[in-house]
Amino acid sequence: MKIYPVILSGGAGTRLWPLSRAVLPKQLLPLVSDKTMLQETALRVADWPELMAPVVVCGNEHRFLVAEQMREIGVAPLGILLEPSGRNTAPAVAAAAYFLMRIDPQAVMLVLPADHVIEHRGAFAAAVARAAAMVEDGALATFGIVPTGPETGYGYIHRAGAVDGSDGCYQVDRFVEKPNRATAQEFLRDGGYYWNSGMFLFKAERYLAELTVFRPEIAAASEASVRLGYSDLDFCRLHEDSFNACPSDSIDYAVMERTAHAVVVPADIGWSDVGSWSALWDVQKHDAEGNSQRGDVYLDGVSNSLVRAESRIVAVVGVRDLIVVETPDAVLVVHKDHVQRVKQVVDHLKLNERTEHLHHTKVYRPWGHYEGIDAGDRFQVKRITVKPGEKLSLQMHHHRAEHWVVVSGTARVTCGESIKLLSENESTYIPIGMNHRLENPGKLPLHIIEVQSGSYLGEDDIVRFEDIYQRA
């Protein structure tokens, strides 16, 4: 049996704002270790001999970050599928299944969200092995997490009878929505309920057959999105119109709650979906007072709190049970009992057409990144870093001029018909409407300061003529 990990790297992680943003969501952030959650997920299954290279499904706007993070850990995906829009898990997994069926008609899929924590890898591998025996006989397996408390933030799975001849696997009786606390306590006392992990193991062919029965419109649209898709650099772009026409639904609603072949595999694996700041506090190391801290932090008389500083010192005195998160453009202070209300902050930012929910002051691009450091009426200042050997697109702006000053490294600057090299402390001027390009021909990162001036300074005032990343 060949098992292919399918890593789902979608979602915005709004409950972990202000660290998680739409352009840089939680799965692409180093929340628990020095590696991102996507990297931790890929490495978790990278050395299993029975597992093949992974397939990663992500949004188009995250494609270069996903590819770069996979490269950093030495994992070469079998494919990176780009969703034109979010359609929940059932279409994403269906597209991955059709993609894999072209490679291996007998492919077995291990579906893994990219933003989960699993502390006990050995126990997880054992659970996958137990599930594989069921999948061989046509089952669709889901992993039920052995609950450690009356959690109200998770859905539950109620088991039915044991599967004959299985190693502790059960038929699924029903899926239960997130309960209130009293109901969750009853589930815990019952002993037959598990947290719904959102992880699955099944044959690609079997999943598609069940999906075709229960949600044929999802199956048809997903198949068309793969069949009509095309390669773009190292990515597989799903056909936009086909995928966008696909109804949005989860695997649970579309298939697992309807099929007669669902089994649940109990798993006591130290699992968390890190769905809130309090959940992140739960899985992190604590000091003697129960605090989790990261960055330049000063604590005095603080207990059972999470304090995270990204860009400056954060001092917290005489409090308990708080979440304090600082980023260059936003600060969050919330009691641990109210972390689910963080999503309302994001909704407020959207309603008021602000940008703090979309991106950080540092914005990543395939060639490097830029960071806003000052702005005012008709001007803004950015710090730009270009990776060795990379180049920005050949472009122009209708409404702004730009001044570039090289801080370190070497810049090759195209401005109209002129091409010149600039070294440290040298500068150049790009007039409004002039075709231009910035490149780093050196072996060290290029750092420049860019001063923009003009009547409109938005990122959508870019006309691309040539781009090695095919964004033109």
Side-chain angles (χ1 to χ4, degrees):
M1 178 184 292
K2 292 182 179 179
I3 300 176
Y4 297 82
V6 174
I7 302 175
L8 304 179
S9 187
T14 55
R15 288 178 176 84
L16 287 178
W17 183 90
L19 206 58
S20 179
R21 312 279 177 107
V23 174
L24 191 64
K26 68 172 183 174
Q27 64 268 23
L28 302 179
L29 294 170
L31 293 179
V32 181
S33 70
D34 60 346
K35 293 183 174 59
T36 69
M37 300 194 77
L38 170 63
Q39 290 173 326
E40 291 282 9
T41 301
L43 289 173
R44 190 175 299 138
V45 294
D47 56 356
W48 295 8
E50 62 269 46
L51 264 60
M52 311 303 288
V55 173
V56 182
V57 185
C58 69
N60 177 63
E61 66 275 16
H62 301 146
R63 65 193 187 278
F64 293 113
L65 276 171
V66 167
E68 177 67 13
Q69 290 190 7
M70 292 293 96
R71 186 198 63 77
E72 287 175 353
I73 60 173
V75 173
L78 190 63
I80 299 177
L81 307 189
L82 304 183
E83 296 178 290
S85 57
R87 287 295 181 266
N88 214 319
T89 55
V93 173
Y98 282 115
F99 176 83
L100 284 171
M101 288 284 289
R102 292 180 162 192
I103 299 169
D104 180 358
Q106 303 303 314
V108 174
M109 308 171 65
L110 176 60
V111 179
L112 302 172
D115 56 357
H116 289 184
V117 168
I118 295 176
E119 295 179 353
H120 311 312
R121 294 190 181 187
F124 178 50
V128 172
R130 294 200 307 276
M134 299 295 96
V135 168
E136 196 70 81
D137 295 328
L140 287 83
T142 184
F143 297 91
I145 305 302
V146 177
T148 57
E151 176 62 53
T152 59
Y154 300 142
Y156 284 72
I157 303 169
H158 186 228
R159 75 186 188 199
V163 178
D164 291 340
S166 71
D167 182 12
C169 303
Y170 299 87
Q171 301 289 345
V172 172
D173 173 50
R174 63 190 177 108
F175 288 79
V176 184
E177 294 292 337
K178 297 175 182 178
N180 59 34
R181 187 165 185 82
T183 303
Q185 289 173 334
E186 284 192 23
F187 289 172
L188 202 63
R189 287 192 292 269
D190 180 283
Y193 288 84
Y194 305 98
W195 293 338
N196 186 353
S197 71
M199 300 186 296
F200 306 91
L201 187 77
F202 39 62
K203 290 182 178 178
E205 181 182 32
R206 186 63 162 174
Y207 171 70
L208 293 175
E210 296 293 280
L211 185 66
T212 301
V213 170
F214 299 116
R215 294 301 304 269
E217 67 278 29
I218 293 180
S222 301
E223 187 278 331
S225 73
V226 174
R227 175 169 45 84
L228 300 175
Y230 63 94
S231 295
D232 175 4
L233 300 177
D234 295 329
F235 310 106
C236 174
R237 285 190 178 274
L238 301 177
H239 185 251
E240 185 170 356
D241 290 343
S242 300
F243 198 80
N244 288 345
C246 186
S248 177
D249 207 352
S250 69
I251 295 177
D252 288 344
Y253 287 142
V255 173
M256 298 301 289
E257 294 187 6
R258 306 183 185 197
T259 181
H261 304 286
V263 301
V264 57
V265 181
D268 187 3
I269 56 179
W271 173 91
S272 172
D273 72 347
V274 197
S276 68
W277 283 111
S278 59
L280 180 59
W281 176 86
D282 285 336
V283 300
Q284 290 188 324
K285 294 180 180 179
H286 305 141
D287 62 21
E289 287 73 38
N291 298 312
S292 168
Q293 54 184 293
R294 184 163 177 166
D296 192 1
V297 170
Y298 171 83
L299 304 181
D300 180 7
V302 178
S303 61
N304 299 321
S305 297
L306 182 152
V307 183
R308 182 166 181 142
E310 295 294 309
S311 66
R312 73 200 84 180
I313 185 171
V314 172
V316 183
V317 180
V319 298
R320 60 178 299 139
D321 300 323
L322 286 187
I323 304 294
V324 181
V325 183
E326 177 273 336
T327 67
D329 62 343
V331 177
L332 170 72
V333 181
V334 60
H335 193 279
K336 284 166 60 180
D337 291 344
H338 297 282
V339 292
Q340 296 298 331
R341 294 165 64 182
V342 172
K343 187 176 184 298
Q344 298 175 23
V345 179
V346 176
D347 292 340
H348 168 79
L349 295 172
K350 293 178 181 177
L351 183 64
N352 288 275
E353 298 183 346
R354 299 185 59 140
T355 61
E356 289 92 339
H357 66 289
L358 294 174
H359 52 72
H360 291 272
T361 56
K362 179 182 286 187
V363 179
Y364 290 90
R365 291 288 186 256
W367 43 260
H369 61 263
Y370 67 83
E371 183 175 6
I373 55 178
D374 195 11
D377 185 30
R378 296 180 62 89
F379 84 94
Q380 66 179 350
V381 183
K382 293 181 178 180
R383 180 186 294 113
I384 297 178
T385 299
V386 185
K387 294 183 288 188
E390 301 296 334
K391 63 175 73 173
L392 283 67
S393 59
L394 180 65
Q395 59 186 254
M396 61 87 72
H397 312 294
H398 290 293
H399 304 288
R400 72 175 187 247
E402 296 175 343
H403 301 257
W404 295 344
V405 180
V406 176
V407 177
S408 64
T410 301
R412 178 184 290 123
V413 177
T414 299
C415 186
E417 299 299 319
S418 168
I419 299 177
K420 58 184 175 182
L421 293 177
L422 298 180
S423 299
E424 183 175 330
N425 292 325
E426 294 184 320
S427 63
T428 192
Y429 168 65
I430 310 295
I432 292 176
M434 182 69 72
N435 291 5
H436 62 278
R437 167 175 267 163
L438 176 64
E439 305 177 50
N440 179 1
K443 296 182 179 180
L444 297 175
L446 166 65
H447 299 280
I448 76 166
I449 298 297
E450 176 183 82
V451 180
Q452 302 176 356
S453 61
S455 60
Y456 179 72
L457 306 173
E459 282 298 301
D460 54 350
D461 181 25
I462 298 178
V463 180
R464 291 190 175 97
F465 302 104
E466 296 176 11
D467 185 45
I468 62 173
Y469 309 107
Q470 299 186 16
R471 297 171 298 167

